[in-house]
Amino acid sequence: MPYLTYSQLKQSAKMRIAPVMGRLMGAYAIYVGLSFVISEAAAVPALFTESIALQAFFYFLFSVLGAILTGIAEAGTQYLYLKLYCGRPVAVGDIFYGFTNQTKTCIGLSFMKSLFYTVPLMPSYIFSLQFTQEMEKMNLAILSSGMDLSTAAMPPEMIRSLTLMLFSFTPALVLITILSLVYSQAYYLMWDFPSCTAPELLRKSRLLMRGHKGRLFYIQICFIPLIMLGVITCGIGMLWIAPLIYAIETEFYLDLVTKRSVRR
């Protein structure tokens, strides 16, 4: 039996979410608000020091802590959509389900996934801090000397930092994309296999995604026009678009595990 195409997943998702769209929109709005507060709070400690080492440390520490909290909310969101597909009533508060159920496993998964996404970006973040500091020094020097900013040459240190930042960011982005595909099903699997530990769930996700990373990547590429539509509406359109995206991803997971079990 062939796996569902993107168009089939999308059509099925539209029909599934239509009766409860209001609750799904409310859940997404709360999730976005929570993520925004966490991300803003994580950026505050770095404002109190000029040391690149300390700023990098705070960035790593609070990025991980923030990712754990948002990861638990993400797990709750996926639980909400699994409930919907199981024919059970859903509520806006379901996104907080991970804070009271499977909390230890949620934290473990979120911590491990945060390392996958944070560690590769550390070199480019450090080089970006160096570039920012060099730019501030150049601006101060120009202001004190009365030179024209448009004619000032970029110092070699700035060129070096900018080059290293760009060259380290590209492979990090590729690695993060691959890891996000490989471990994309971990939270879904957690709700279906509550007795599994975080490492076991990551392994299950890795095995489940064998041969399907390209398929999921194509589906995510298909999301880009929808996301752009949400952006040009100042984010308001995402209240309708995000539930559709979550529903399609849930359809993908259920299609994957169902077909895999049949083929075995």
Side-chain angles (χ1 to χ4, degrees):
M1 185 180 296
Y3 291 98
L4 297 177
T5 65
Y6 169 73
S7 297
Q8 291 171 324
L9 294 172
K10 183 179 178 181
Q11 186 62 34
S12 178
K14 283 182 176 180
M15 292 187 294
R16 184 73 68 163
I17 65 177
V20 292
M21 179 58 83
R23 275 168 279 180
L24 300 180
M25 291 168 61
Y28 176 71
I30 293 175
Y31 175 77
V32 170
L34 179 63
S35 300
F36 176 78
V37 171
I38 291 172
S39 63
E40 291 300 306
V44 170
L47 300 177
F48 296 96
T49 177
E50 295 183 358
S51 168
I52 290 179
L54 283 177
Q55 288 190 48
F57 170 76
F58 283 132
Y59 167 79
F60 176 79
L61 177 62
F62 285 91
S63 292
V64 170
L65 292 176
I68 290 174
L69 292 176
T70 54
I72 297 174
E74 178 74 13
T77 301
Q78 294 184 2
Y79 169 77
L80 182 154
Y81 282 85
L82 282 178
K83 280 183 65 180
L84 175 64
Y85 275 81
C86 290
R88 297 165 57 189
V90 299
V92 173
D94 285 333
I95 67 169
F96 300 111
Y97 190 75
F99 288 96
T100 56
N101 297 269
Q102 293 288 97
T103 307
K104 182 179 178 181
T105 307
C106 270
I107 292 174
L109 273 179
S110 299
F111 173 72
M112 291 180 181
K113 293 182 76 171
S114 71
L115 294 181
F116 295 155
Y117 307 147
T118 303
V119 172
L121 287 174
M122 287 302 298
S124 62
Y125 179 75
I126 292 172
F127 293 132
S128 70
L129 292 177
Q130 293 176 347
F131 175 77
T132 301
Q133 285 194 356
E134 293 295 334
M135 184 169 62
E136 290 175 350
K137 291 179 182 177
M138 186 183 76
N139 289 339
L140 288 174
I142 291 173
L143 289 174
S144 60
S145 62
M147 292 174 56
D148 186 359
L149 181 62
S150 60
T151 59
M154 185 180 292
E157 293 82 2
M158 282 187 65
I159 298 175
R160 174 181 172 276
S161 298
L162 180 60
T163 302
L164 291 174
M165 178 182 69
L166 295 175
F167 273 92
S168 59
F169 178 76
T170 302
L173 183 61
V174 172
L175 178 59
I176 289 171
T177 301
I178 294 172
L179 291 174
S180 67
L181 294 170
V182 170
Y183 299 112
S184 58
Q185 310 305 305
Y187 290 130
Y188 288 118
L189 289 165
M190 180 184 69
W191 300 122
D192 278 344
F193 300 92
S195 61
C196 290
T197 63
E200 290 171 342
L201 292 169
L202 291 176
R203 178 178 175 274
K204 282 180 176 293
S205 179
R206 186 170 64 250
L207 294 175
L208 188 63
M209 287 301 295
R210 281 183 178 176
H212 294 276
K213 292 183 286 293
R215 178 170 167 245
L216 180 57
F217 182 70
Y218 169 75
I219 290 172
Q220 292 177 344
I221 292 296
C222 292
F223 291 156
I224 293 178
L226 293 174
I227 295 172
M228 290 179 63
L229 180 61
V231 171
I232 63 177
T233 57
C234 300
I236 297 175
M238 289 303 298
L239 291 173
W240 287 267
I241 294 168
L244 176 61
I245 290 175
Y246 274 112
I248 292 173
E249 290 176 341
T250 305
E251 290 264 5
F252 173 85
Y253 166 72
L254 294 174
D255 182 52
L256 191 58
V257 294
T258 302
K259 303 291 172 57
R260 276 290 177 93
S261 62
V262 170
R263 295 187 180 199
R264 287 178 183 175

